[in-house]
Amino acid sequence: MSFKPEELYQSPNKLASYYSKFRVKDRMLFTGHSHQAWPDCGFEAQQEAWNDAADLVDDKWGKAFEKAEEVKQGYSRLLNDNSGNITIAPNTHDLIIKLFSALPLKDKPRIVTTDGEFHSIRRQLDRLNKEGIEVVKVSSNPVDQVVDKIIDSLKSPKGEKTAAVYVSSVFFNSGLILPGLKEVADFCNKNEIVLVIDSYHHLNVIPFSVEENNLQNAFITGGGYKYCQLGEGNAFLRSPVNCDLQPVITGWYSEFTALSSKKKTGEVLYGQKGDIFAGATYDPTSNYRAARVFQFFNEMNLTPEFLREVSQHQIGLMIDEFDKLDLDPKIITRNKSTSLENIAGFLVLYSESAGKISEKLKEKNVWTDYRGNVLRFGPAPYISDEQIKEAIKVLRNVIQSL
């Protein structure tokens, strides 16, 4: 099945009927950048996981691993990548701490990042900094200068002590796309610096390509909680095909394929490919759901290119409707210096009352979220133009009531 973009703009949205359990026709869910609705087929997949456990008991793992492989293949497609390996885990932090534990931080006790990274990595790096790892944070604003700042830091006298660069391809606090991934990848490749890309706010709302950005040697992380509609428990780490790191933090699944092999007492074996960063026993239900949702996106031809077109239309409409309100910029405003093409999957509005506005919007059935003075509107493919216009009208009424 295929949709024309216009079919998702009309009311009712032609895609909305596939999300009945999340009641997307009745609620204005602008949480697409955080928690997108799940298609109904995901519920059926969770029931399948339960039934398989009931029927097969411990033999369920054969089917569970098949579902996990489907999820890995889904992420590889979104990354446009056949040159790397995928490890999946309950969350990105689980994977990143394994990766960090494999870095040569004793010899290169320096990590370069930005001040716009998500809380899980921000907190972890701050903690590492207290243990003597130098963490350099370049400003994520303006976004078109971030790569230059990173490379300048790597060229500094301390640059040779840098073990890794960690940077988002889309910043969670601004919704802006980072230009210049290829440049930072080229520099890291030449200087043997590990590059880690956080693609969480990129995948399935903007086309991504490992090959086009020369990211074959990069580590890429992300997950299904947001634009992929996979729900919790489906984070991933893409590692280079020739990766031979040996993480200190390691689970027994990493040697799963070698359990029957003879080994010396105390020897720590590592799996191959994505098994290097594997963990331990997990709840496979999330993989059942994710595999079925990936299948749904394929069946509906909801490609990243198509979803990008829809997203750009929706954000453009929100911008037009917001600008028409001509609200006092001292109360609420947006960044008018950024073009629509540089915006990823959500629109940021700035207000010192962002929290209160978000709370009042929810009382009026408009679901958003906020971070400090940032109010975030995240449309999704099941949202109609009529819902967008209505949500902005509600925003106007909320602002006036304040």
Side-chain angles (χ1 to χ4, degrees), residues 173-247:
N173 53 356
S174 67
L176 299 182
I177 302 168
L178 174 68
L181 276 183
K182 186 177 185 301
E183 286 75 10
V184 73
D186 289 344
F187 188 94
C188 288
N189 285 338
K190 292 177 183 177
N191 294 275
E192 298 183 344
I193 298 170
V194 170
L195 174 61
V196 188
I197 304 295
D198 186 336
S199 67
Y200 220 135
H201 275 285
H202 198 133
L203 288 193
N204 221 34
V205 71
I206 312 168
F208 193 102
S209 176
V210 166
E211 183 175 353
E212 290 179 10
N213 290 292
N214 197 25
L215 298 174
Q216 291 88 345
N217 293 325
F219 292 84
I220 305 170
T221 189
Y225 193 72
K226 307 179 190 299
Y227 308 96
C228 293
Q229 302 179 3
L230 310 182
E232 302 87 349
N234 291 292
F236 75 90
L237 177 69
R238 182 267 182 199
S239 55
V241 69
N242 59 349
C243 177
D244 59 357
L245 296 178
Q246 295 188 346

Side-chain angles (χ1 to χ4, degrees), residues 72-90:
K72 294 177 184 180
Q73 292 173 2
Y75 282 129
S76 291
R77 287 194 301 270
L78 290 181
L79 292 169
N80 190 24
D81 175 46
N82 292 315
S83 65
N85 302 309
I86 301 291
T87 308
I88 54 177

Side-chain angles (χ1 to χ4, degrees), residues 138-361:
V138 306
S139 175
S140 58
N141 183 41
V143 71
D144 58 356
Q145 296 180 17
V146 172
V147 166
D148 289 340
K149 293 174 184 175
I150 289 175
I151 293 177
D152 286 345
S153 177
L154 298 177
K155 289 180 178 178
S156 70
K158 291 185 177 181
E160 63 182 16
K161 292 294 185 180
T162 302
V165 171
Y166 188 107
V167 64
S168 294
S169 57
V170 170
F171 291 109
F172 89 101
N173 53 356
S174 67
L176 299 182
I177 302 168
L178 174 68
L181 276 183
K182 186 177 185 301
E183 286 75 10
V184 73
D186 289 344
F187 188 94
C188 288
N189 285 338
K190 292 177 183 177
N191 294 275
E192 298 183 344
I193 298 170
V194 170
L195 174 61
V196 188
I197 304 295
D198 186 336
S199 67
Y200 220 135
H201 275 285
H202 198 133
L203 288 193
N204 221 34
V205 71
I206 312 168
F208 193 102
S209 176
V210 166
E211 183 175 353
E212 290 179 10
N213 290 292
N214 197 25
L215 298 174
Q216 291 88 345
N217 293 325
F219 292 84
I220 305 170
T221 189
Y225 193 72
K226 307 179 190 299
Y227 308 96
C228 293
Q229 302 179 3
L230 310 182
E232 302 87 349
N234 291 292
F236 75 90
L237 177 69
R238 182 267 182 199
S239 55
V241 69
N242 59 349
C243 177
D244 59 357
L245 296 178
Q246 295 188 346
V248 175
I249 298 174
T250 181
W252 71 279
Y253 270 36
S254 185
E255 63 177 25
F256 194 78
T257 54
L259 284 178
S260 60
S261 302
K262 292 183 179 180
K263 64 175 182 175
K264 300 175 182 177
T265 302
E267 184 180 8
V268 180
L269 301 178
Y270 289 85
Q272 298 178 349
K273 300 181 178 180
D275 288 347
I276 293 174
F277 298 99
T281 309
Y282 64 98
D283 180 359
T285 304
S286 58
N287 293 166
Y288 274 77
R289 184 178 62 239
R292 184 62 187 90
V293 173
F294 269 136
Q295 182 182 341
F296 169 78
F297 271 75
N298 288 335
E299 291 169 350
M300 299 295 167
N301 286 309
L302 299 175
T303 65
E305 291 76 16
F306 177 84
L307 294 170
R308 175 62 171 169
E309 180 178 352
V310 172
S311 175
Q312 285 278 277
H313 166 82
Q314 293 176 326
I315 292 175
L317 179 58
M318 282 195 293
I319 288 173
D320 290 343
E321 294 297 309
F322 177 77
D323 288 350
K324 287 178 186 177
L325 299 181
D326 195 26
L327 298 172
D328 185 349
K330 294 180 180 178
I331 298 176
I332 190 167
T333 188
R334 70 177 184 86
N335 182 0
K336 294 186 178 181
S337 66
T338 300
S339 66
L340 176 62
E341 293 75 19
N342 292 331
I343 299 175
F346 61 95
L347 178 66
V348 163
L349 301 177
Y350 296 95
S351 174
E352 295 305 317
S353 302
K356 195 173 191 72
I357 293 171
S358 181
E359 178 184 336
K360 294 295 183 182
L361 285 171

